[in-house]
PDB file of all heavy atoms in Angstrom:
ATOM      1  N   TYR A 175     -11.491  14.007  40.659  1.00  0.00           N
ATOM      2  CA  TYR A 175     -10.578  13.311  39.769  1.00  0.00           C
ATOM      3  C   TYR A 175     -11.179  12.394  38.769  1.00  0.00           C
ATOM      4  O   TYR A 175     -10.552  11.747  38.052  1.00  0.00           O
ATOM      5  CB  TYR A 175      -9.595  12.549  40.677  1.00  0.00           C
ATOM      6  CG  TYR A 175      -8.808  13.373  41.631  1.00  0.00           C
ATOM      7  CD1 TYR A 175      -8.602  12.918  42.948  1.00  0.00           C
ATOM      8  CD2 TYR A 175      -8.155  14.524  41.101  1.00  0.00           C
ATOM      9  CE1 TYR A 175      -7.909  13.737  43.966  1.00  0.00           C
ATOM     10  CE2 TYR A 175      -7.392  15.285  42.160  1.00  0.00           C
ATOM     11  CZ  TYR A 175      -7.174  14.883  43.382  1.00  0.00           C
ATOM     12  OH  TYR A 175      -6.603  15.671  44.187  1.00  0.00           O
ATOM     13  N   SER A 176     -12.572  12.457  38.646  1.00  0.00           N
ATOM     14  CA  SER A 176     -13.157  11.844  37.571  1.00  0.00           C
ATOM     15  C   SER A 176     -13.277  12.681  36.314  1.00  0.00           C
ATOM     16  O   SER A 176     -12.897  13.874  36.466  1.00  0.00           O
ATOM     17  CB  SER A 176     -14.614  11.372  37.893  1.00  0.00           C
ATOM     18  OG  SER A 176     -15.423  12.452  38.195  1.00  0.00           O
ATOM     19  N   ALA A 177     -13.339  12.090  35.225  1.00  0.00           N
ATOM     20  CA  ALA A 177     -13.260  12.840  33.880  1.00  0.00           C
ATOM     21  C   ALA A 177     -14.158  12.259  32.915  1.00  0.00           C
ATOM     22  O   ALA A 177     -14.679  11.042  32.997  1.00  0.00           O
ATOM     23  CB  ALA A 177     -11.818  12.789  33.351  1.00  0.00           C
ATOM     24  N   TYR A 178     -14.603  13.023  31.971  1.00  0.00           N
ATOM     25  CA  TYR A 178     -15.347  12.690  30.818  1.00  0.00           C
ATOM     26  C   TYR A 178     -14.896  13.186  29.508  1.00  0.00           C
ATOM     27  O   TYR A 178     -14.415  14.345  29.454  1.00  0.00           O
ATOM     28  CB  TYR A 178     -16.944  12.865  30.982  1.00  0.00           C
ATOM     29  CG  TYR A 178     -17.383  14.206  30.997  1.00  0.00           C
ATOM     30  CD1 TYR A 178     -17.776  14.883  29.869  1.00  0.00           C
ATOM     31  CD2 TYR A 178     -17.501  14.931  32.161  1.00  0.00           C
ATOM     32  CE1 TYR A 178     -18.296  16.244  29.908  1.00  0.00           C
ATOM     33  CE2 TYR A 178     -17.958  16.213  32.187  1.00  0.00           C
ATOM     34  CZ  TYR A 178     -18.390  16.836  30.948  1.00  0.00           C
ATOM     35  OH  TYR A 178     -18.874  18.199  31.037  1.00  0.00           O
ATOM     36  N   LEU A 179     -15.133  12.476  28.412  1.00  0.00           N
ATOM     37  CA  LEU A 179     -14.642  12.939  27.172  1.00  0.00           C
ATOM     38  C   LEU A 179     -15.987  13.319  26.316  1.00  0.00           C
ATOM     39  O   LEU A 179     -16.860  12.376  26.280  1.00  0.00           O
ATOM     40  CB  LEU A 179     -13.968  11.737  26.390  1.00  0.00           C
ATOM     41  CG  LEU A 179     -13.759  11.991  24.907  1.00  0.00           C
ATOM     42  CD1 LEU A 179     -12.694  13.132  24.639  1.00  0.00           C
ATOM     43  CD2 LEU A 179     -13.137  10.682  24.289  1.00  0.00           C
ATOM     44  N   VAL A 180     -15.947  14.350  25.740  1.00  0.00           N
ATOM     45  CA  VAL A 180     -17.152  14.651  24.909  1.00  0.00           C
ATOM     46  C   VAL A 180     -16.828  14.187  23.599  1.00  0.00           C
ATOM     47  O   VAL A 180     -15.781  14.680  22.928  1.00  0.00           O
ATOM     48  CB  VAL A 180     -17.355  16.236  24.749  1.00  0.00           C
ATOM     49  CG1 VAL A 180     -18.528  16.561  23.919  1.00  0.00           C
ATOM     50  CG2 VAL A 180     -17.493  16.697  26.228  1.00  0.00           C
ATOM     51  N   PRO A 181     -17.467  13.356  22.914  1.00  0.00           N
ATOM     52  CA  PRO A 181     -17.195  12.793  21.493  1.00  0.00           C
ATOM     53  C   PRO A 181     -17.040  13.875  20.489  1.00  0.00           C
ATOM     54  O   PRO A 181     -17.898  14.787  20.474  1.00  0.00           O
ATOM     55  CB  PRO A 181     -18.255  11.725  21.314  1.00  0.00           C
ATOM     56  CG  PRO A 181     -18.795  11.447  22.608  1.00  0.00           C
ATOM     57  CD  PRO A 181     -18.654  12.603  23.370  1.00  0.00           C
ATOM     58  N   PRO A 182     -16.199  13.665  19.581  1.00  0.00           N
ATOM     59  CA  PRO A 182     -15.989  14.761  18.617  1.00  0.00           C
ATOM     60  C   PRO A 182     -17.031  14.571  17.405  1.00  0.00           C
ATOM     61  O   PRO A 182     -16.579  14.793  16.238  1.00  0.00           O
ATOM     62  CB  PRO A 182     -14.542  14.595  18.120  1.00  0.00           C
ATOM     63  CG  PRO A 182     -14.398  13.036  18.186  1.00  0.00           C
ATOM     64  CD  PRO A 182     -15.171  12.692  19.452  1.00  0.00           C
ATOM     65  N   THR A 183     -18.240  14.264  17.750  1.00  0.00           N
ATOM     66  CA  THR A 183     -19.264  14.063  16.739  1.00  0.00           C
ATOM     67  C   THR A 183     -20.205  15.258  16.366  1.00  0.00           C
ATOM     68  O   THR A 183     -20.814  15.250  15.281  1.00  0.00           O
ATOM     69  CB  THR A 183     -20.230  12.978  17.133  1.00  0.00           C
ATOM     70  OG1 THR A 183     -20.909  13.349  18.385  1.00  0.00           O
ATOM     71  CG2 THR A 183     -19.392  11.580  17.371  1.00  0.00           C
ATOM     72  N   GLY A 184     -20.118  16.280  17.254  1.00  0.00           N
ATOM     73  CA  GLY A 184     -20.938  17.422  17.074  1.00  0.00           C
ATOM     74  C   GLY A 184     -22.386  17.175  17.409  1.00  0.00           C
ATOM     75  O   GLY A 184     -23.212  18.156  17.083  1.00  0.00           O
ATOM     76  N   ILE A 185     -22.862  16.213  18.025  1.00  0.00           N
ATOM     77  CA  ILE A 185     -24.150  15.926  18.431  1.00  0.00           C
ATOM     78  C   ILE A 185     -24.348  15.708  19.914  1.00  0.00           C
ATOM     79  O   ILE A 185     -25.518  15.514  20.273  1.00  0.00           O
ATOM     80  CB  ILE A 185     -24.625  14.801  17.576  1.00  0.00           C
ATOM     81  CG1 ILE A 185     -23.881  13.563  17.826  1.00  0.00           C
ATOM     82  CG2 ILE A 185     -24.633  15.044  16.075  1.00  0.00           C
ATOM     83  CD1 ILE A 185     -24.524  12.255  17.270  1.00  0.00           C
ATOM     84  N   THR A 186     -23.254  15.466  20.652  1.00  0.00           N
ATOM     85  CA  THR A 186     -23.379  15.119  22.134  1.00  0.00           C
ATOM     86  C   THR A 186     -23.673  16.320  23.048  1.00  0.00           C
ATOM     87  O   THR A 186     -22.678  17.141  23.211  1.00  0.00           O
ATOM     88  CB  THR A 186     -22.304  14.252  22.499  1.00  0.00           C
ATOM     89  OG1 THR A 186     -22.133  13.137  21.727  1.00  0.00           O
ATOM     90  CG2 THR A 186     -22.474  13.866  24.001  1.00  0.00           C
ATOM     91  N   GLN A 187     -24.731  16.482  23.526  1.00  0.00           N
ATOM     92  CA  GLN A 187     -25.019  17.571  24.502  1.00  0.00           C
ATOM     93  C   GLN A 187     -24.078  17.263  25.797  1.00  0.00           C
ATOM     94  O   GLN A 187     -24.094  16.187  26.210  1.00  0.00           O
ATOM     95  CB  GLN A 187     -26.482  17.639  24.853  1.00  0.00           C
ATOM     96  CG  GLN A 187     -27.465  18.118  23.882  1.00  0.00           C
ATOM     97  CD  GLN A 187     -27.604  19.542  23.655  1.00  0.00           C
ATOM     98  OE1 GLN A 187     -27.089  20.361  24.501  1.00  0.00           O
ATOM     99  NE2 GLN A 187     -28.207  19.930  22.623  1.00  0.00           N
TER     100      GLN A 187
END
Side-chain angles (χ1 to χ4, degrees):
Y175 300 131
S176 62
Y178 67 90
L179 167 70
V180 181
T183 59
I185 61 174
T186 303
Q187 296 270 351

